[in-house]
Amino acid sequence: MKNTKPLNDVIVLDLTRVLAGPYCTMILADLGAEVIKVERPDVGDDSRAFGPFINGKSAYFISLNRGKKSMVLNLKMEKDLKVFKELIKKVDVLVENFRPGTMDRLGLGYEDLKVINPRLIYAASSGFGHSGPYSKKAAYDMIVQAAGGMMSITGQPGGPPVRVGASIGDITAGLFTAIGINAALYQRQQTGVGQKIDVAMLDAQVAILENAIARYIVTKEPPKPLGTRHPSITPFEAFKAADEWVIIAVGNDALWARFCESVRREELIEDPDFATNAKRTENYSKLKPIMDEIIAQRTAAEWIRDLDKVGIPVGPINTVDKLFTDPQVKARQMLVEVDDSVAGRVITAGNPIKMSSFADESSRKAAPELGEHTEEIVRRFLGQGE
Amino acid sequence: MKNTKPLNDVIVLDLTRVLAGPYCTMILADLGAEVIKVERPDVGDDSRAFGPFINGKSAYFISLNRGKKSMVLNLKMEKDLKVFKELIKKVDVLVENFRPGTMDRLGLGYEDLKVINPRLIYAASSGFGHSGPYSKKAAYDMIVQAAGGMMSITGQPGGPPVRVGASIGDITAGLFTAIGINAALYQRQQTGVGQKIDVAMLDAQVAILENAIARYIVTKEPPKPLGTRHPSITPFEAFKAADEWVIIAVGNDALWARFCESVRREELIEDPDFATNAKRTENYSKLKPIMDEIIAQRTAAEWIRDLDKVGIPVGPINTVDKLFTDPQVKARQMLVEVDDSVAGRVITAGNPIKMSSFADESSRKAAPELGEHTEEIVRRFLGQGE
């Protein structure tokens, strides 16, 4: 079974652009699916125009579209619409992330396409979903990070708003969509028919709030940002070492005792204000200056070495460059090379879903040029030259 | 096909605890799988002890374990180990999130279990993965958010570190694991055998950095936090309105013209410093005080009403309580009721993967009491009383 990817026999027609949709289809490509981007003429996927650029090609586009094919179709032209509908008969999955209503107006909604191909799995990713009063609103990642509650719990206490530095509004929607597509593929093998999947970026944000909802319904107080503090475990945050920040996670009372011994502050173990996690959390503002003073005495590297030795979870705050020299990231092949015909060798993030059915590649096929595979696709699927 | 969930026929044995694993198996339960938590005696899943509590039951546990069953087994006892191995013969999926090596020591690693059941899909979620030099390190969400680069791009410029307010280190690992499990189920229908899935929290963090890696390899500068600024589109951030913050996303030059007209500042449209997105981004520090002054003149609600009218993406920064009155969240059934025998009616986040093969329920089965289903499971699968 070596090197047989799970989605080896799956063909995906990919109308998506920018991030949420392409992230989803990139996962499908990583798992072996043949992903055919259907792009409009001249411009193609909007992200082809997003910097930064390498030899004129968008590094952003490259990082999200490796391993996919590209054909150009103008869905506003009758001729190309016909080609598209012929392709629909022969593919397993369609993914789109247009504003809801767009595909219906083109006569390409799920209700239209399932007539052409009842086995089609139609996956729609959008800002607010294919139902509800906001369905047709424009959405950007920042809008949904704000609307969905995530920004309200991220940042410094009392500080100005902060967004998550990566577009998790788009990305988590892409992940949920990928789950739905795989589940639908599994279900189709039993039912023989496809279905529609409808994932909203806002819904995904609500789904990943973790305990913020639970805390609100119990305390009736909307949770607020906590910097790097853990809401209920202390000490458990970023501390300023002599040179830079370091994360120290004293997860329970046993670790607290070990920490205090390790820094020769045994009197803190039994101090009634700090003897249990509950007490340490209650007396956070009393403990914080004590911890700050202790941690300031060694460098981050020294703390990582010393606390790791006694089994206390500790780690650095890595800037992105540090990932390139991290031995674990390397061993896990999480930064892979793509050989791009225009940009040359480009490094992008790898696939984190390691599966024993295939050996992980340390390199990846490049992101396609606009329309690079139009002829090949038309010939293969429609049996004609063009 | 109505109300036939995709994973209706799938049985999952769930050894996971706290967040990454349970989040994954909760998605599987939402998609119809029978998820059987195997918990150790007395304590069970650690998160049963995490506050806040409702009538003594953990709201955190409830929010992550709805719809699952619970049996108690002590895997250090020969008798229970035998029961576990008998169950393995009859289930489709095993999910565990122990420190790598733990299952091997118990004689329950993938290589051991695949002999008992070659069709078994063995999904392991861990901090650093089942390979590599850090494999056996303890991981918490905060540690991987820091090690994986996410914290380095989140926060205010020059400010102290900030973690993402929800544990996306755990949660995204859970999402990638769910994708892998579904893909493996699909593949198994063709190959007849299972496989091992190995997802690391650190890998997942690297995978979701979006354009931070691309920016680094092109500019050679590690990206830094930007507050709520978009790295390449301006104006596109949170602004302080008269009363509270509001997100305004002027995504392109056409929207800029519309914005300037809308606020009667037409001279800004053609101002050479601000005429294009590239110029506006270049002259950010010149434009910021102008924008701040304009936005301070109306309330957030007024901006949302006025800019929405002219099609400029705009939205609130919602605290979690606001979700409970949001009409879109309601229409999408993203806050659902769980009827818990101990805690009563509890509200939790719903399932964001809307699939046409089943009607979304507006209510969910409760999270199980510890060992609530031990007898039922043993009787059903082993055909014996206990």
Side-chain angles (χ1 to χ4, degrees):
Chain A
M1 286 312 130
K2 205 127 182 78
N3 276 325
T4 309
K5 294 186 175 176
L7 305 185
N8 238 15
D9 66 339
V10 175
I11 304 174
V12 179
L13 217 54
D14 179 8
L15 283 168
T16 69
R17 296 120 4 119
V18 187
L19 180 55
Y23 196 90
C24 168
T25 61
M26 179 172 69
I27 293 173
L28 302 180
D30 279 345
L31 296 181
E34 178 176 12
V35 175
I36 302 164
K37 289 176 74 74
V38 175
E39 304 183 64
R40 62 199 153 157
D42 305 319
V43 178
D45 184 331
D46 311 62
S47 72
R48 288 183 182 274
F50 292 6
F53 299 93
I54 308 177
N55 296 342
K57 188 158 177 182
S58 162
Y60 188 84
F61 178 82
I62 289 172
S63 72
L64 289 166
N65 291 281
R66 60 177 191 231
K68 304 177 192 173
K69 295 182 173 163
S70 166
M71 71 179 304
V72 165
L73 286 178
N74 183 349
L75 296 182
K76 297 188 172 147
M77 279 176 46
E78 196 55 47
K79 173 169 84 86
D80 284 2
L81 208 50
K82 275 205 164 98
V83 171
F84 183 82
K85 288 181 180 176
E86 278 303 309
L87 288 171
I88 284 289
K89 291 182 188 170
K90 316 215 168 167
V91 304
D92 299 285
V93 183
L94 169 74
V95 195
E96 58 100 350
N97 65 348
F98 290 116
R99 188 100 59 109
T102 306
M103 290 290 274
D104 296 312
R105 277 196 302 282
L106 291 168
L108 299 176
Y110 177 59
E111 297 302 313
D112 305 303
L113 297 185
K114 79 186 216 191
V115 173
I116 299 174
N117 180 358
R119 288 176 58 81
L120 183 72
I121 290 155
Y122 183 116
S125 169
S126 63
F128 296 97
H130 278 231
S131 60
Y134 302 171
S135 173
K136 305 238 187 318
K137 273 188 190 294
Y140 287 105
D141 178 87
M142 179 137 14
I143 298 270
V144 301
Q145 277 200 38
M150 185 64 76
M151 275 176 65
S152 77
I153 55 174
T154 299
Q156 290 300 329
V162 153
R163 70 177 280 269
V164 177
S167 297
I168 60 162
D170 280 279
I171 289 173
T172 52
L175 294 177
F176 281 112
T177 307
I179 294 170
I181 290 171
N182 278 282
L185 283 165
Y186 177 76
Q187 185 169 32
R188 187 180 71 172
Q189 281 164 314
Q190 294 154 71
T191 63
V193 294
Q195 61 184 298
K196 180 175 179 182
I197 298 154
D198 165 14
V199 171
M201 286 165 65
L202 179 64
D203 292 356
Q205 286 299 287
V206 175
I208 66 169
L209 285 174
E210 198 204 346
N211 61 357
I213 293 176
R215 277 148 67 199
Y216 172 62
I217 59 175
V218 173
T219 66
K220 311 283 196 280
E221 286 290 323
K224 293 194 169 14
L226 292 170
T228 62
R229 262 191 83 180
H230 190 288
S232 53
I233 308 178
T234 310
F236 199 114
E237 63 185 293
F239 292 96
K240 190 82 202 294
D243 55 346
E244 55 192 42
W245 294 86
V246 66
I247 305 288
I248 299 176
V250 179
N252 56 45
D253 296 341
L255 289 171
W256 173 242
R258 227 183 286 170
F259 174 78
C260 296
E261 281 157 7
S262 152
V263 298
R264 305 237 178 94
R265 296 292 298 268
E266 289 88 347
E267 83 284 3
L268 294 172
I269 303 176
E270 293 299 318
D271 186 325
D273 282 343
F274 309 133
T276 67
N277 179 59
K279 276 282 164 202
R280 288 192 295 280
T281 301
E282 189 186 318
N283 296 315
Y284 174 83
S285 35
K286 199 170 172 201
L287 182 53
K288 180 89 169 87
I290 298 174
M291 285 297 295
D292 284 344
E293 194 257 316
I294 294 172
I295 303 307
Q297 290 167 27
R298 295 179 217 180
T299 63
E302 288 169 338
W303 283 118
I304 290 169
R305 177 197 64 203
D306 300 342
L307 296 184
D308 197 53
K309 240 184 251 173
V310 292
I312 291 165
V314 58
I317 298 182
N318 281 333
T319 41
V320 166
D321 54 310
K322 299 276 172 57
L323 301 176
F324 285 69
T325 49
D326 186 287
Q328 186 68 9
V329 171
K330 183 176 210 279
R332 299 286 288 179
Q333 295 179 319
M334 280 312 298
L335 287 170
V336 297
E337 275 190 3
V338 167
D339 238 307
D340 192 279
S341 55
V342 173
R345 282 161 97 203
V346 179
I347 301 206
T348 75
N351 158 41
I353 309 171
K354 312 301 188 189
M355 298 177 75
S356 60
S357 61
F358 63 97
D360 201 17
E361 304 123 46
S362 55
S363 75
R364 289 267 182 280
K365 289 209 222 75
E369 289 297 288
L370 178 59
E372 185 180 336
H373 305 92
T374 306
E375 213 182 292
E376 172 208 316
I377 301 297
V378 170
R379 208 180 328 117
R380 258 176 67 202
F381 288 90
L382 273 59
Q384 18 168 298
E386 184 164 64
Chain B
M1 283 312 128
K2 207 132 178 73
N3 278 325
T4 308
K5 294 186 175 175
L7 304 186
N8 239 15
D9 65 338
V10 175
I11 304 175
V12 179
L13 218 54
D14 179 8
L15 283 169
T16 70
R17 295 116 12 112
V18 187
L19 180 55
Y23 196 91
C24 167
T25 61
M26 179 172 69
I27 292 173
L28 302 180
D30 279 346
L31 297 181
E34 178 176 10
V35 176
I36 302 164
K37 288 177 74 74
V38 175
E39 304 184 64
R40 61 199 153 156
D42 304 320
V43 178
D45 185 331
D46 310 62
S47 73
R48 289 182 180 275
F50 293 5
F53 299 93
I54 308 177
N55 295 343
K57 187 159 178 181
S58 162
Y60 189 84
F61 179 83
I62 289 172
S63 72
L64 289 167
N65 291 281
R66 58 177 190 232
K68 303 178 191 172
K69 294 183 173 165
S70 166
M71 72 179 302
V72 165
L73 285 179
N74 183 349
L75 296 181
K76 294 184 174 150
M77 281 174 45
E78 196 54 47
K79 173 170 83 88
D80 284 2
L81 208 49
K82 275 202 162 98
V83 171
F84 183 82
K85 288 180 178 175
E86 279 303 308
L87 289 169
I88 283 289
K89 292 181 188 170
K90 316 216 167 164
V91 305
D92 299 286
V93 183
L94 169 75
V95 194
E96 57 99 349
N97 66 348
F98 289 116
R99 188 97 62 105
T102 305
M103 290 290 275
D104 297 311
R105 276 197 301 281
L106 291 168
L108 300 175
Y110 177 59
E111 297 301 315
D112 304 303
L113 297 185
K114 80 186 213 190
V115 172
I116 299 175
N117 180 357
R119 290 175 56 81
L120 183 73
I121 290 155
Y122 183 116
S125 168
S126 62
F128 295 96
H130 278 230
S131 60
Y134 302 170
S135 170
K136 307 240 189 310
K137 275 187 190 293
Y140 287 106
D141 177 86
M142 180 138 11
I143 299 270
V144 300
Q145 277 201 39
M150 186 64 77
M151 275 178 62
S152 78
I153 56 174
T154 299
Q156 289 301 328
V162 153
R163 70 177 281 270
V164 177
S167 298
I168 60 162
D170 280 280
I171 289 172
T172 52
L175 294 178
F176 280 113
T177 307
I179 294 170
I181 290 170
N182 278 280
L185 283 166
Y186 177 75
Q187 185 169 30
R188 187 180 70 172
Q189 280 164 314
Q190 295 154 70
T191 62
V193 294
Q195 61 184 297
K196 180 175 179 182
I197 298 154
D198 165 14
V199 171
M201 288 165 64
L202 179 63
D203 293 356
Q205 286 300 286
V206 175
I208 66 169
L209 285 174
E210 196 203 345
N211 61 358
I213 291 175
R215 278 149 66 202
Y216 171 62
I217 59 176
V218 173
T219 67
K220 310 284 196 280
E221 286 290 322
K224 294 191 167 16
L226 293 169
T228 62
R229 264 192 82 178
H230 190 287
S232 53
I233 309 177
T234 309
F236 199 116
E237 60 186 294
F239 292 97
K240 190 82 204 292
D243 55 344
E244 55 192 42
W245 293 86
V246 66
I247 305 289
I248 298 175
V250 179
N252 56 45
D253 297 342
L255 290 171
W256 173 242
R258 229 183 285 170
F259 173 79
C260 295
E261 282 158 4
S262 151
V263 298
R264 306 238 176 95
R265 295 292 298 268
E266 288 88 347
E267 84 283 2
L268 294 172
I269 304 178
E270 292 299 318
D271 187 324
D273 282 344
F274 309 134
T276 67
N277 179 59
K279 276 284 165 200
R280 289 192 293 280
T281 301
E282 191 186 317
N283 296 315
Y284 174 84
S285 34
K286 199 170 170 200
L287 181 54
K288 180 89 170 84
I290 298 174
M291 286 296 296
D292 284 345
E293 194 256 317
I294 293 172
I295 304 306
Q297 290 167 25
R298 294 180 218 180
T299 63
E302 288 169 336
W303 283 118
I304 291 168
R305 177 198 64 203
D306 299 343
L307 296 184
D308 197 55
K309 238 185 253 174
V310 292
I312 292 164
V314 59
I317 298 182
N318 281 332
T319 41
V320 165
D321 54 308
K322 300 274 173 56
L323 301 175
F324 285 70
T325 50
D326 185 289
Q328 186 68 10
V329 171
K330 183 175 211 277
R332 299 286 289 177
Q333 297 179 318
M334 278 313 298
L335 287 170
V336 297
E337 276 191 0
V338 166
D339 237 306
D340 192 278
S341 55
V342 173
R345 281 161 98 202
V346 180
I347 301 205
T348 76
N351 159 40
I353 310 170
K354 312 300 189 190
M355 298 177 76
S356 61
S357 62
F358 63 97
D360 201 18
E361 303 123 48
S362 55
S363 74
R364 288 272 182 280
K365 288 211 221 73
E369 290 296 289
L370 178 60
E372 186 179 337
H373 304 91
T374 306
E375 214 181 293
E376 172 208 315
I377 301 296
V378 170
R379 205 178 333 115
R380 259 176 66 202
F381 288 90
L382 275 58
Q384 21 171 294
E386 185 165 63

